[in-house]
Amino acid sequence: MPKPAAASLKETLTLKLDYEQLTNCMRCGFCLPACPTFQETGVEAESPRGRISLMKAAVDGIMEPGISFENQMNHCLGCRACEPACPADVKYGQLIEQARDAVEVHTRQHRWWIKGVRKLVFDQLFPHQRRMRLLGKSLELYKKSGVQALVRKTGVVGAFSEHLSSMERILPDASGKGIVERLGSRIAAKGEKIGTVGMFRGCLMDVLFTETNMKTVQLLSEAGFEVVIPDTQNCCGALHAHSGESDTAKQLARNNIRAFQEAGVDYIVSNAGGCGAILVEYDHLLHDDQEWQEAARGFAKKVMDISTILVERGRPLNFADREAEENPIRVTYQDSCHLRNVMKGGSRPRQLLSGIANVSYMEMEDAGSCCGSAGIYNVTQPDMASQILEHKMEKANATKAHYLVTSNPGCLLQMKLGIDKHGRSESMKAVHIADFLFDRIVK
Ligand code: SF4
Ligand code: SF4
């Protein structure tokens, strides 16, 4: 995006920030205990109240926003745990997006490699599904060709960076073939048809977790839904919207709305909390676009998470772990922040997991608190992300669960990383809820 020479960050903040929302904050501090960055640091400026005060002070001209202002905006995970805790219903998620949008126009603090990662991810990769498939194919080849075995044997990545070595160990079974190439774009309902679901396949989900996408579709079919997967859909735009790239996010949203409108579906289902949360807020994202406003509202109303639709609309399914008849297995759940705080869908995965025969559900302490994944936060803010993850794993380990279940690909990778670095890797496995449920359907 070209940087306007004349406007200062203060002026851009004044233009972009919703001043009414800034003044709605009554400084009560109820949000502080819910905020992971405040919990980790104890610093007011690292809290929702602190960040809102900084935004308001900048707009009011009390403070010149500089590098430390930018840092505080970028340190926020965007998990939105502060919103349900707020008695004044301050729309913090919107404020932080507006602030980051402004910061991105004037930014001076991204290091060269962060700029490179952002450019690659936001412009060159995620919006282009064909390139995502190429990435999937390359990772598949890396694993199957023996290069991965060689890399591990020689320990070359570990010599370079222990963190990178851990990331390499948790690489999922990527694929160059997405769900449409595997199942086609229309899958019939099993038994009597209840309705038609449009499956949001996700750009990352479709190449890194194709099996999970397939199991999601099969769960929907078993629950009585015909599933349509429009091939013209693209990335949801969540990472763009949360990182100050709102123009690209809006364009991606318009494409998706068009794709699902043409498919003529009753529901739009996502199996990734991070994607679902922006899909459900397309009406907000396009609120100033007269031409697309109404279509965006119609789209947003149809969006549901896989767990929610199974519980609330689907034909009830029976689940059991046949291998655990003698010794029930323990399972715990790490919330996807966006499924819990934005889509308000945190209870449904717990309900499904608690209803599986021979499985005992253990609630983890602070399961609703962010795991530190947060889009590309664990890449751009590795120190804070690692600190949060380490504390998360202490709580996960305390459950002694055999399975750590999540509802979002970013959280799933972060949990795998956590188990690898700090966990009980011999006895605990991180899995997506769609995989966990599908493998235990009783037919
Ligand atoms: S979004 Fe999350 S990290 Fe950011 S202020 Fe709110 S609770 Fe804290
Ligand atoms: S809970 Fe809401 S009103 Fe209270 S300080 Fe936090 S954001 Fe402001």
Side-chain angles (χ1 to χ4, degrees):
M1 188 183 293
K3 296 181 182 181
S8 65
L9 176 54
K10 176 198 177 298
E11 285 164 2
T12 313
L13 284 165
T14 308
L15 280 174
K16 291 194 181 267
L17 281 166
D18 181 339
Y19 196 75
E20 199 183 320
Q21 285 297 324
L22 289 178
T23 51
N24 278 353
C25 174
M26 53 193 183
R27 314 280 185 260
C28 65
F30 284 0
C31 52
L32 268 57
C35 175
T37 54
F38 179 74
Q39 287 302 311
E40 292 295 333
T41 62
V43 174
E44 173 72 16
E46 298 266 14
S47 76
R49 180 175 67 182
R51 292 190 179 104
I52 292 172
S53 300
L54 289 173
M55 292 176 206
K56 188 163 182 299
V59 172
D60 289 344
I62 295 168
M63 177 199 87
E64 187 59 40
I67 293 288
S68 67
F69 176 89
E70 293 181 22
N71 277 338
Q72 293 312 340
M73 298 307 123
N74 289 328
H75 282 181
C76 171
L77 291 146
C79 66
R80 294 171 66 172
C82 42
E83 286 189 15
C86 175
D89 195 27
V90 173
K91 307 281 185 241
Y92 177 86
Q94 295 176 14
L95 287 173
I96 192 70
E97 275 178 20
Q98 291 157 359
R100 281 181 176 166
D101 229 12
V103 164
E104 200 46 39
V105 175
H106 297 272
T107 195
R108 46 206 131 167
Q109 61 131 13
H110 287 329
R111 278 164 282 172
W112 63 269
W113 64 271
I114 292 183
K115 277 186 187 160
V117 168
R118 287 175 63 100
K119 180 108 191 111
L120 179 72
V121 171
F122 294 148
D123 299 345
Q124 303 301 327
L125 215 47
F126 280 21
H128 307 282
Q129 202 55 27
R130 216 174 281 167
R131 291 181 197 167
M132 291 300 289
R133 279 191 211 120
L134 258 177
L135 170 73
K137 186 79 201 157
S138 313
L139 289 172
E140 191 181 354
L141 273 175
Y142 169 74
K143 279 200 155 186
K144 289 186 178 162
S145 63
V147 176
Q148 182 179 53
L150 190 68
V151 163
R152 288 187 177 177
K153 205 171 159 195
T154 56
V156 62
V157 182
F160 185 59
S161 151
E162 184 43 42
H163 182 66
L164 216 58
S165 175
S166 297
M167 300 285 274
E168 197 281 332
R169 281 198 295 273
I170 58 148
L171 267 184
D173 291 328
S175 166
K177 273 191 183 169
I179 190 164
V180 173
E181 287 82 12
R182 289 175 184 227
L183 295 181
S185 52
R186 191 172 286 270
I187 297 93
K190 295 267 168 70
E192 198 181 330
K193 179 179 154 184
I194 294 175
T196 306
V197 160
M199 163 85 183
F200 187 79
R201 65 185 169 196
C203 55
L204 254 189
M205 282 300 298
D206 209 40
V207 295
L208 292 191
F209 300 99
T210 323
E211 287 286 329
T212 306
N213 267 358
M214 288 171 62
K215 289 177 180 176
T216 303
V217 168
Q218 284 158 318
L219 277 168
L220 287 164
S221 168
E222 291 287 343
F225 298 103
E226 179 186 30
V227 185
V228 178
I229 313 165
D231 208 18
T232 48
Q233 62 179 294
N234 52 220
C235 167
C236 63
L239 284 182
H240 304 81
H242 304 327
S243 310
E245 306 271 349
S246 63
D247 289 340
T248 313
K250 285 176 188 177
Q251 194 45 49
L252 292 168
R254 291 185 198 103
N255 293 347
N256 280 330
I257 293 169
R258 192 182 301 112
F260 283 90
Q261 255 178 352
E262 286 167 2
V265 295
D266 305 313
Y267 308 102
I268 297 161
V269 169
S270 155
N271 58 7
C275 304
I278 184 117
L279 298 178
V280 91
E281 290 193 332
Y282 270 2
D283 52 343
H284 165 69
L285 184 65
L286 295 171
H287 72 279
D288 56 359
D289 184 334
Q290 295 235 330
E291 194 189 332
W292 285 84
Q293 247 171 39
E294 206 184 318
R297 263 198 299 276
F299 178 99
K301 273 191 199 142
K302 291 183 180 177
V303 176
M304 293 181 105
D305 177 69
I306 176 66
S307 295
T308 308
I309 195 165
L310 288 178
V311 173
E312 294 181 7
R313 303 278 196 280
R315 197 164 45 233
L317 299 172
N318 290 322
F319 299 103
D321 194 311
R322 293 282 188 225
E323 288 170 18
E325 268 165 14
E326 302 287 311
N327 295 308
I329 53 165
R330 277 188 303 272
V331 55
T332 193
Y333 180 70
Q334 164 60 32
D335 278 287
S336 144
C337 301
H338 288 110
L339 175 57
R340 180 188 177 106
N341 302 322
V342 184
M343 299 181 84
K344 314 290 181 214
S347 65
R348 297 318 191 193
R350 290 173 168 81
Q351 203 172 326
L352 287 163
L353 294 172
S354 304
I356 305 174
N358 312 324
V359 168
S360 120
Y361 178 74
M362 320 283 296
E363 181 70 16
M364 178 187 3
E365 189 189 340
D366 283 340
S369 183
C370 184
C371 62
S373 169
I376 56 167
Y377 189 93
N378 54 359
V379 179
T380 58
Q381 307 287 341
D383 294 342
M384 179 63 82
S386 295
Q387 199 176 316
I388 291 172
L389 180 60
E390 192 173 344
H391 293 149
K392 174 63 67 186
M393 290 316 298
E394 284 164 11
K395 288 161 186 165
N397 292 339
T399 66
K400 296 195 167 47
H402 302 100
Y403 289 93
L404 178 47
V405 180
T406 73
S407 298
N408 187 55
C411 311
L412 179 57
L413 288 176
Q414 185 78 340
M415 291 298 89
K416 283 178 186 266
L417 186 67
I419 292 172
D420 184 76
K421 280 178 134 179
H422 314 287
R424 300 157 46 245
S425 49
E426 301 302 310
S427 54
M428 185 188 266
K429 212 176 154 196
V431 288
H432 190 284
I433 191 161
D435 293 320
F436 195 76
L437 291 174
F438 181 79
D439 292 346
R440 288 164 183 81
I441 288 188
V442 178
K443 293 191 189 171

